[in-house]
Amino acid sequence: MTRKEQLARTRERLLDATVECLVTYGHAHTTTQRIQDAAGVSRGALLHHFGSKSEVLVAAIHHIAQIRFDSISSTLSELDDGPDSLREMVRAIREAMTGPPFQAALELWAASRTDEQLRAALLPAERRLGEALREMFHLHAGIADPQDETVAFESLMALVRGLELTRNMRSTSDVADRVVEAWLESVERLRSA
């Protein structure tokens, strides 16, 4: 492995460790020492890539957005315009808004409310992801009216984010699944209009 490849691999390990720490400890208790330990690297290796907790968190924002985007786009690239395309798209978006990358993103969203540096890094990454999701939604939703499409997209984003945020308060996914099904039924009416 070349030096450049080793550096890239170490950086990736540090960013993955940051996601792990955000999920395990939350933003407030994620420290550079915990990130270093989780990545299994020396202090010097951490400092070579990131000089502070803020720097590693800013890089993690882009890392997390890319993971989420890759997850969605790999699934959606296989979709056609068949009758189940909307349902499959919603499933892909829902899956991308669960699990450790999304949980880490939630931690960073909350922290960015009072941290201008995080917010400045978070907004472009989330906007890029949001634009890509919006474009994918446009391709597969089949809603003719642009205003109806915008409302359907924004309500889907709010719905899946809220369901994931409150997931640990439910004992089963039955209610969440029924809520998504109700959303799909309402959007089906827009598709046939």
Side-chain angles (χ1 to χ4, degrees), residues 160-175:
V160 294
R161 288 172 180 148
L163 289 173
E164 179 60 14
L165 189 60
T166 60
R167 180 174 51 92
N168 67 338
M169 296 178 207
R170 290 187 300 277
S171 58
T172 69
S173 66
D174 293 352
V175 171

Side-chain angles (χ1 to χ4, degrees), residues 11 15 18 22 27-28 30-33 35 43 46-47 49-64 108 111-112 114-122:
R11 180 180 170 84
L15 293 173
T18 303
L22 285 166
H27 173 267
T30 291
T31 63
T32 55
Q33 184 64 53
I35 293 168
R43 188 67 166 173
L46 172 71
L47 293 174
H49 291 280
F50 307 105
S52 67
K53 177 181 174 181
S54 292
E55 284 182 28
V56 73
L57 291 178
V58 165
I61 286 168
H62 298 285
H63 181 68
I64 292 165
L108 294 170
S112 74
T114 57
D115 184 324
E116 287 188 36
Q117 185 181 12
L118 279 181
R119 186 170 46 255
L122 186 68

Side-chain angles (χ1 to χ4, degrees), residues 69-172:
F69 177 77
D70 291 348
S71 169
I72 293 169
S73 56
S74 69
T75 301
L76 294 183
S77 67
E78 300 169 8
L79 284 182
D80 57 18
D81 290 333
D84 291 333
S85 65
L86 177 65
R87 186 172 295 281
E88 288 301 310
M89 179 191 53
V90 169
R91 184 187 58 72
I93 290 172
R94 226 177 138 189
E95 284 176 9
M97 294 198 177
T98 60
F102 186 71
Q103 293 163 353
L106 288 175
E107 287 292 326
L108 294 170
W109 290 351
S112 74
R113 188 181 68 78
T114 57
D115 184 324
E116 287 188 36
Q117 185 181 12
L118 279 181
R119 186 170 46 255
L122 186 68
L123 287 176
E126 287 296 324
R127 283 185 181 132
R128 184 177 143 256
L129 179 60
E131 287 168 10
L133 288 171
R134 191 172 283 110
E135 179 61 29
M136 290 176 194
F137 186 85
H138 174 73
L139 292 173
H140 298 288
I143 301 171
D145 183 281
Q147 290 180 331
D148 286 345
E149 181 181 69
T150 297
V151 170
F153 174 77
E154 292 298 333
S155 65
L156 176 62
M157 293 298 102
L159 178 67
V160 294
R161 288 172 180 148
L163 289 173
E164 179 60 14
L165 189 60
T166 60
R167 180 174 51 92
N168 67 338
M169 296 178 207
R170 290 187 300 277
S171 58
T172 69

